[in-house]
Short mmCIF file of all heavy atoms in Angstrom, two decimals:
data_model
loop_
_atom_site.label_atom_id
_atom_site.label_comp_id
_atom_site.label_asym_id
_atom_site.label_seq_id
_atom_site.Cartn_x
_atom_site.Cartn_y
_atom_site.Cartn_z
N THR C 99 178.41 98.54 135.83
CA THR C 99 179.08 97.25 135.68
C THR C 99 178.55 96.27 136.73
O THR C 99 178.74 96.47 137.94
CB THR C 99 180.62 97.42 135.87
OG1 THR C 99 181.07 98.30 134.87
CG2 THR C 99 181.30 96.07 135.74
N SER C 237 189.85 125.37 104.38
CA SER C 237 190.22 124.50 103.29
C SER C 237 191.21 123.46 103.82
O SER C 237 191.79 123.59 104.92
CB SER C 237 190.93 125.29 102.16
OG SER C 237 192.11 125.84 102.60
N CYS C 301 202.41 101.83 109.65
CA CYS C 301 203.22 100.64 109.96
C CYS C 301 204.61 100.75 109.39
O CYS C 301 205.59 100.28 110.05
CB CYS C 301 202.52 99.37 109.47
SG CYS C 301 201.01 99.01 110.39
N ARG C 317 207.01 116.67 119.50
CA ARG C 317 207.10 117.11 120.93
C ARG C 317 206.61 116.00 121.88
O ARG C 317 206.94 116.01 123.07
CB ARG C 317 206.34 118.36 121.15
CG ARG C 317 204.84 118.23 120.84
CD ARG C 317 204.14 119.58 120.78
NE ARG C 317 202.80 119.41 120.26
CZ ARG C 317 201.76 119.09 120.95
NH1 ARG C 317 201.85 118.87 122.24
NH2 ARG C 317 200.59 118.92 120.39
N LYS C 356 202.29 88.60 119.19
CA LYS C 356 203.12 87.46 119.40
C LYS C 356 204.61 87.74 119.33
O LYS C 356 205.44 86.86 119.65
CB LYS C 356 202.73 86.32 118.47
CG LYS C 356 201.28 85.89 118.57
CD LYS C 356 200.97 84.82 117.54
CE LYS C 356 199.51 84.39 117.63
NZ LYS C 356 199.18 83.37 116.62
N TYR C 408 217.24 120.36 117.02
CA TYR C 408 218.06 119.68 115.99
C TYR C 408 217.54 118.28 115.64
O TYR C 408 218.22 117.56 114.91
CB TYR C 408 219.51 119.54 116.48
CG TYR C 408 220.13 120.86 116.89
CD1 TYR C 408 220.37 121.18 118.22
CD2 TYR C 408 220.45 121.81 115.90
CE1 TYR C 408 220.96 122.37 118.57
CE2 TYR C 408 221.02 123.02 116.27
CZ TYR C 408 221.27 123.32 117.61
OH TYR C 408 221.83 124.52 117.95
N PHE C 424 213.79 104.06 124.74
CA PHE C 424 212.60 104.17 125.59
C PHE C 424 212.86 105.07 126.82
O PHE C 424 213.71 104.74 127.67
CB PHE C 424 212.09 102.81 126.05
CG PHE C 424 210.78 102.90 126.75
CD1 PHE C 424 209.62 102.99 126.01
CD2 PHE C 424 210.67 102.89 128.11
CE1 PHE C 424 208.38 103.08 126.63
CE2 PHE C 424 209.47 103.00 128.74
CZ PHE C 424 208.29 103.08 128.02
#
Side-chain angles (χ1 to χ4, degrees):
T99 299
S237 66
C301 292
R317 63 191 168 85
K356 301 178 182 179
Y408 304 110
F424 188 80

